[in-house]
Short mmCIF file of all heavy atoms in Angstrom, two decimals:
data_model
loop_
_atom_site.label_atom_id
_atom_site.label_comp_id
_atom_site.label_asym_id
_atom_site.label_seq_id
_atom_site.Cartn_x
_atom_site.Cartn_y
_atom_site.Cartn_z
N ASN A 281 76.92 94.83 110.71
CA ASN A 281 75.89 94.16 109.92
C ASN A 281 76.50 93.16 108.94
O ASN A 281 77.26 93.53 108.04
CB ASN A 281 75.06 95.21 109.18
CG ASN A 281 73.80 94.62 108.60
OD1 ASN A 281 73.74 94.27 107.45
ND2 ASN A 281 72.77 94.48 109.44
N ILE A 282 76.14 91.89 109.09
CA ILE A 282 76.68 90.82 108.26
C ILE A 282 76.12 90.87 106.83
O ILE A 282 76.90 90.77 105.87
CB ILE A 282 76.43 89.45 108.91
CG1 ILE A 282 77.29 89.32 110.17
CG2 ILE A 282 76.74 88.32 107.95
CD1 ILE A 282 77.05 88.04 110.95
N PRO A 283 74.79 91.00 106.62
CA PRO A 283 74.30 91.03 105.23
C PRO A 283 74.90 92.15 104.39
O PRO A 283 75.22 91.95 103.21
CB PRO A 283 72.79 91.22 105.40
CG PRO A 283 72.48 90.67 106.75
CD PRO A 283 73.67 91.00 107.58
N ILE A 284 75.10 93.34 104.98
CA ILE A 284 75.69 94.45 104.23
C ILE A 284 77.13 94.13 103.86
O ILE A 284 77.59 94.45 102.75
CB ILE A 284 75.61 95.75 105.05
CG1 ILE A 284 74.16 96.12 105.32
CG2 ILE A 284 76.32 96.89 104.33
CD1 ILE A 284 73.33 96.32 104.07
N ALA A 285 77.86 93.49 104.76
CA ALA A 285 79.25 93.12 104.46
C ALA A 285 79.31 92.13 103.31
O ALA A 285 80.19 92.22 102.44
CB ALA A 285 79.90 92.52 105.71
N ILE A 286 78.36 91.18 103.27
CA ILE A 286 78.33 90.20 102.18
C ILE A 286 78.01 90.88 100.85
O ILE A 286 78.66 90.63 99.83
CB ILE A 286 77.29 89.10 102.48
CG1 ILE A 286 77.72 88.29 103.71
CG2 ILE A 286 77.11 88.19 101.27
CD1 ILE A 286 76.69 87.28 104.16
N VAL A 287 77.01 91.76 100.85
CA VAL A 287 76.63 92.45 99.61
C VAL A 287 77.77 93.31 99.09
O VAL A 287 78.05 93.36 97.88
CB VAL A 287 75.37 93.31 99.86
CG1 VAL A 287 75.08 94.20 98.65
CG2 VAL A 287 74.16 92.41 100.14
N ALA A 288 78.48 94.00 100.01
CA ALA A 288 79.57 94.88 99.58
C ALA A 288 80.70 94.11 98.92
O ALA A 288 81.42 94.66 98.08
CB ALA A 288 80.09 95.67 100.77
N CYS A 289 80.87 92.83 99.29
CA CYS A 289 81.93 92.03 98.66
C CYS A 289 81.72 91.90 97.16
O CYS A 289 82.68 91.73 96.39
CB CYS A 289 81.97 90.63 99.29
SG CYS A 289 82.69 90.58 100.93
N TRP A 290 80.46 91.98 96.72
CA TRP A 290 80.15 91.78 95.31
C TRP A 290 80.35 93.05 94.48
O TRP A 290 80.05 93.05 93.27
CB TRP A 290 78.72 91.27 95.15
CG TRP A 290 78.63 89.81 95.48
CD1 TRP A 290 78.27 89.26 96.67
CD2 TRP A 290 78.96 88.73 94.62
NE1 TRP A 290 78.34 87.90 96.62
CE2 TRP A 290 78.75 87.54 95.35
CE3 TRP A 290 79.39 88.64 93.30
CZ2 TRP A 290 78.98 86.28 94.81
CZ3 TRP A 290 79.62 87.39 92.75
CH2 TRP A 290 79.40 86.23 93.51
N ILE A 291 80.86 94.11 95.10
CA ILE A 291 81.23 95.28 94.29
C ILE A 291 82.35 94.89 93.32
O ILE A 291 82.39 95.35 92.18
CB ILE A 291 81.64 96.45 95.20
CG1 ILE A 291 80.45 96.90 96.05
CG2 ILE A 291 82.16 97.63 94.37
CD1 ILE A 291 80.77 97.98 97.04
N THR A 292 83.28 94.07 93.81
CA THR A 292 84.26 93.48 92.90
C THR A 292 83.70 92.15 92.41
O THR A 292 83.54 91.22 93.18
CB THR A 292 85.61 93.26 93.60
OG1 THR A 292 85.40 92.56 94.84
CG2 THR A 292 86.30 94.57 93.88
N ASN A 293 83.41 92.07 91.14
CA ASN A 293 82.80 90.91 90.52
C ASN A 293 83.49 90.69 89.17
O ASN A 293 84.42 91.43 88.81
CB ASN A 293 81.29 91.13 90.36
CG ASN A 293 80.97 92.43 89.66
OD1 ASN A 293 81.30 92.61 88.49
ND2 ASN A 293 80.35 93.36 90.37
N PRO A 294 83.11 89.67 88.43
CA PRO A 294 83.78 89.44 87.14
C PRO A 294 83.80 90.63 86.20
O PRO A 294 84.67 90.71 85.32
CB PRO A 294 82.98 88.27 86.55
CG PRO A 294 82.49 87.51 87.73
CD PRO A 294 82.20 88.56 88.77
N VAL A 295 82.87 91.57 86.37
CA VAL A 295 82.85 92.75 85.50
C VAL A 295 83.83 93.81 85.99
O VAL A 295 84.55 94.44 85.20
CB VAL A 295 81.42 93.33 85.42
CG1 VAL A 295 81.40 94.61 84.59
CG2 VAL A 295 80.47 92.30 84.82
N THR A 296 83.89 94.02 87.30
CA THR A 296 84.72 95.11 87.86
C THR A 296 86.09 94.64 88.32
O THR A 296 86.89 95.45 88.77
CB THR A 296 84.00 95.74 89.06
OG1 THR A 296 83.79 94.74 90.08
CG2 THR A 296 82.65 96.30 88.64
N MET A 297 86.37 93.33 88.22
CA MET A 297 87.62 92.81 88.76
C MET A 297 88.84 93.34 88.02
O MET A 297 89.88 93.65 88.62
CB MET A 297 87.61 91.28 88.72
CG MET A 297 88.69 90.62 89.55
SD MET A 297 88.53 88.82 89.52
CE MET A 297 86.93 88.64 90.34
N VAL A 298 88.72 93.46 86.70
CA VAL A 298 89.87 93.91 85.91
C VAL A 298 90.23 95.37 86.22
O VAL A 298 91.39 95.68 86.50
CB VAL A 298 89.60 93.70 84.41
CG1 VAL A 298 90.73 94.31 83.57
CG2 VAL A 298 89.45 92.22 84.10
N PRO A 299 89.27 96.32 86.19
CA PRO A 299 89.63 97.69 86.58
C PRO A 299 90.15 97.77 88.01
O PRO A 299 91.04 98.58 88.31
CB PRO A 299 88.31 98.46 86.43
CG PRO A 299 87.45 97.63 85.59
CD PRO A 299 87.88 96.23 85.73
N ALA A 300 89.60 96.94 88.90
CA ALA A 300 90.08 96.95 90.29
C ALA A 300 91.53 96.49 90.36
O ALA A 300 92.34 97.06 91.12
CB ALA A 300 89.20 96.06 91.15
N ALA A 301 91.89 95.47 89.56
CA ALA A 301 93.27 94.99 89.55
C ALA A 301 94.23 96.06 89.04
O ALA A 301 95.32 96.26 89.61
CB ALA A 301 93.37 93.73 88.69
N VAL A 302 93.83 96.75 87.98
CA VAL A 302 94.68 97.83 87.45
C VAL A 302 94.85 98.94 88.49
O VAL A 302 95.95 99.46 88.69
CB VAL A 302 94.08 98.40 86.15
CG1 VAL A 302 94.88 99.60 85.66
CG2 VAL A 302 94.03 97.32 85.07
N ALA A 303 93.77 99.28 89.18
CA ALA A 303 93.84 100.31 90.22
C ALA A 303 94.73 99.87 91.37
O ALA A 303 95.51 100.67 91.92
CB ALA A 303 92.43 100.64 90.72
N GLN A 304 94.64 98.59 91.77
CA GLN A 304 95.49 98.08 92.84
C GLN A 304 96.96 98.17 92.47
O GLN A 304 97.79 98.62 93.27
CB GLN A 304 95.11 96.63 93.15
CG GLN A 304 93.78 96.45 93.85
CD GLN A 304 93.38 94.99 93.94
OE1 GLN A 304 93.89 94.14 93.22
NE2 GLN A 304 92.45 94.69 94.84
N ILE A 305 97.30 97.73 91.27
CA ILE A 305 98.70 97.74 90.84
C ILE A 305 99.21 99.17 90.72
O ILE A 305 100.34 99.48 91.12
CB ILE A 305 98.85 96.98 89.51
CG1 ILE A 305 98.49 95.50 89.70
CG2 ILE A 305 100.27 97.10 88.97
CD1 ILE A 305 98.43 94.70 88.41
N THR A 306 98.39 100.06 90.18
CA THR A 306 98.80 101.46 90.03
C THR A 306 99.04 102.11 91.39
O THR A 306 100.05 102.81 91.60
CB THR A 306 97.72 102.24 89.27
OG1 THR A 306 97.50 101.63 87.99
CG2 THR A 306 98.14 103.69 89.07
N LEU A 307 98.13 101.88 92.34
CA LEU A 307 98.31 102.44 93.68
C LEU A 307 99.54 101.88 94.36
O LEU A 307 100.33 102.62 94.96
CB LEU A 307 97.06 102.15 94.52
CG LEU A 307 97.12 102.55 96.00
CD1 LEU A 307 97.29 104.06 96.14
CD2 LEU A 307 95.86 102.08 96.73
N ALA A 308 99.73 100.55 94.26
CA ALA A 308 100.90 99.94 94.89
C ALA A 308 102.20 100.43 94.26
O ALA A 308 103.18 100.67 94.98
CB ALA A 308 100.79 98.42 94.77
N ASN A 309 102.24 100.57 92.94
CA ASN A 309 103.44 101.08 92.28
C ASN A 309 103.78 102.47 92.75
O ASN A 309 104.95 102.82 92.97
CB ASN A 309 103.25 101.07 90.76
CG ASN A 309 103.35 99.67 90.17
OD1 ASN A 309 103.74 98.72 90.85
ND2 ASN A 309 103.00 99.52 88.91
N TRP A 310 102.76 103.30 92.91
CA TRP A 310 103.00 104.68 93.37
C TRP A 310 103.57 104.69 94.79
O TRP A 310 104.51 105.43 95.08
CB TRP A 310 101.69 105.46 93.31
CG TRP A 310 101.83 106.88 93.75
CD1 TRP A 310 102.42 107.92 93.08
CD2 TRP A 310 101.41 107.42 95.01
NE1 TRP A 310 102.37 109.08 93.81
CE2 TRP A 310 101.75 108.80 95.01
CE3 TRP A 310 100.76 106.89 96.12
CZ2 TRP A 310 101.49 109.63 96.09
CZ3 TRP A 310 100.49 107.72 97.20
CH2 TRP A 310 100.84 109.07 97.17
N VAL A 311 103.03 103.87 95.66
CA VAL A 311 103.50 103.82 97.05
C VAL A 311 104.89 103.21 97.12
O VAL A 311 105.78 103.74 97.81
CB VAL A 311 102.50 103.04 97.92
CG1 VAL A 311 103.05 102.85 99.34
CG2 VAL A 311 101.16 103.76 97.99
N MET A 312 105.09 102.07 96.44
CA MET A 312 106.39 101.41 96.53
C MET A 312 107.48 102.24 95.88
O MET A 312 108.63 102.23 96.33
CB MET A 312 106.30 100.02 95.88
CG MET A 312 105.47 99.03 96.70
SD MET A 312 105.59 97.30 96.13
CE MET A 312 104.81 97.42 94.52
N SER A 313 107.16 102.96 94.80
CA SER A 313 108.16 103.84 94.17
C SER A 313 108.56 104.96 95.11
O SER A 313 109.72 105.38 95.14
CB SER A 313 107.59 104.42 92.87
OG SER A 313 107.31 103.41 91.94
N ALA A 314 107.61 105.44 95.91
CA ALA A 314 107.93 106.50 96.88
C ALA A 314 108.91 106.01 97.93
O ALA A 314 109.67 106.82 98.50
CB ALA A 314 106.64 106.99 97.54
N PHE A 315 108.92 104.70 98.20
CA PHE A 315 109.86 104.14 99.19
C PHE A 315 111.08 103.51 98.53
O PHE A 315 111.85 102.81 99.19
CB PHE A 315 109.15 103.10 100.06
CG PHE A 315 108.20 103.69 101.05
CD1 PHE A 315 106.86 103.88 100.73
CD2 PHE A 315 108.65 104.09 102.30
CE1 PHE A 315 105.98 104.42 101.65
CE2 PHE A 315 107.77 104.63 103.23
CZ PHE A 315 106.44 104.80 102.91
N GLY A 316 111.25 103.73 97.24
CA GLY A 316 112.45 103.28 96.54
C GLY A 316 112.45 101.84 96.09
O GLY A 316 113.50 101.29 95.77
N HIS A 317 111.28 101.19 96.05
CA HIS A 317 111.20 99.80 95.61
C HIS A 317 111.01 99.73 94.09
O HIS A 317 110.33 100.58 93.51
CB HIS A 317 110.06 99.07 96.30
CG HIS A 317 110.27 98.91 97.78
ND1 HIS A 317 111.02 97.89 98.33
CD2 HIS A 317 109.82 99.64 98.83
CE1 HIS A 317 111.03 98.00 99.64
NE2 HIS A 317 110.31 99.05 99.97
N ALA A 318 111.61 98.71 93.48
CA ALA A 318 111.44 98.52 92.04
C ALA A 318 110.03 98.04 91.74
O ALA A 318 109.47 97.23 92.48
CB ALA A 318 112.47 97.51 91.53
N THR A 319 109.47 98.53 90.67
CA THR A 319 108.10 98.16 90.29
C THR A 319 108.04 97.82 88.81
O THR A 319 108.94 98.18 88.03
CB THR A 319 107.11 99.31 90.58
OG1 THR A 319 107.50 100.46 89.83
CG2 THR A 319 107.08 99.65 92.06
N VAL A 320 106.99 97.12 88.43
CA VAL A 320 106.71 96.82 87.03
C VAL A 320 105.50 97.64 86.62
O VAL A 320 104.50 97.68 87.36
CB VAL A 320 106.42 95.31 86.84
CG1 VAL A 320 106.01 95.01 85.40
CG2 VAL A 320 107.65 94.49 87.22
N PRO A 321 105.54 98.34 85.50
CA PRO A 321 104.40 99.18 85.09
C PRO A 321 103.09 98.41 85.07
O PRO A 321 103.05 97.22 84.74
CB PRO A 321 104.80 99.65 83.69
CG PRO A 321 106.28 99.57 83.66
CD PRO A 321 106.65 98.41 84.52
N ALA A 322 102.03 99.07 85.45
CA ALA A 322 100.70 98.45 85.47
C ALA A 322 100.29 98.06 84.06
O ALA A 322 100.60 98.76 83.10
CB ALA A 322 99.69 99.40 86.09
N PRO A 323 99.58 96.96 83.90
CA PRO A 323 99.16 96.53 82.56
C PRO A 323 98.02 97.39 82.02
O PRO A 323 97.31 98.06 82.79
CB PRO A 323 98.70 95.09 82.80
CG PRO A 323 98.21 95.10 84.22
CD PRO A 323 99.12 96.05 84.96
N ASP A 324 97.85 97.36 80.71
CA ASP A 324 96.68 97.99 80.13
C ASP A 324 95.46 97.08 80.35
O ASP A 324 95.58 95.99 80.92
CB ASP A 324 96.88 98.29 78.64
CG ASP A 324 97.25 97.04 77.84
OD1 ASP A 324 96.92 95.92 78.28
OD2 ASP A 324 97.89 97.18 76.78
N PHE A 325 94.31 97.51 79.88
CA PHE A 325 93.07 96.78 80.20
C PHE A 325 93.10 95.36 79.62
O PHE A 325 92.73 94.40 80.30
CB PHE A 325 91.87 97.55 79.66
CG PHE A 325 90.55 96.96 80.09
CD1 PHE A 325 89.99 97.28 81.31
CD2 PHE A 325 89.88 96.07 79.25
CE1 PHE A 325 88.78 96.73 81.69
CE2 PHE A 325 88.67 95.51 79.63
CZ PHE A 325 88.12 95.85 80.86
N ASP A 326 93.51 95.22 78.35
CA ASP A 326 93.52 93.90 77.72
C ASP A 326 94.50 92.96 78.41
O ASP A 326 94.20 91.78 78.65
CB ASP A 326 93.87 94.03 76.23
CG ASP A 326 92.78 94.73 75.44
OD1 ASP A 326 91.61 94.69 75.89
OD2 ASP A 326 93.09 95.34 74.39
N SER A 327 95.70 93.48 78.71
CA SER A 327 96.69 92.65 79.40
C SER A 327 96.20 92.27 80.80
O SER A 327 96.39 91.14 81.26
CB SER A 327 98.03 93.38 79.49
OG SER A 327 98.53 93.69 78.20
#
């Protein structure tokens, strides 16, 4: 379904984009650290 796919894209919007970015960085840091890659700590909300 194309309309549902379009609507779901708006779950990440200017309001939710910042928490989503923090979650992405946190998840990636956890995975990359498990494989021995260097990571930079995830930023706080304001940063």
Side-chain angles (χ1 to χ4, degrees):
N281 193 263
I282 291 176
I284 298 301
I286 295 174
V287 171
C289 286
W290 283 96
I291 297 176
T292 50
N293 52 65
V295 176
T296 61
M297 194 177 296
V298 174
V302 175
Q304 289 172 341
I305 296 173
T306 302
L307 175 62
N309 284 350
W310 180 74
V311 173
M312 289 191 294
S313 297
F315 287 91
H317 294 277
T319 60
V320 175
D324 56 24
F325 187 85
D326 292 335
S327 300

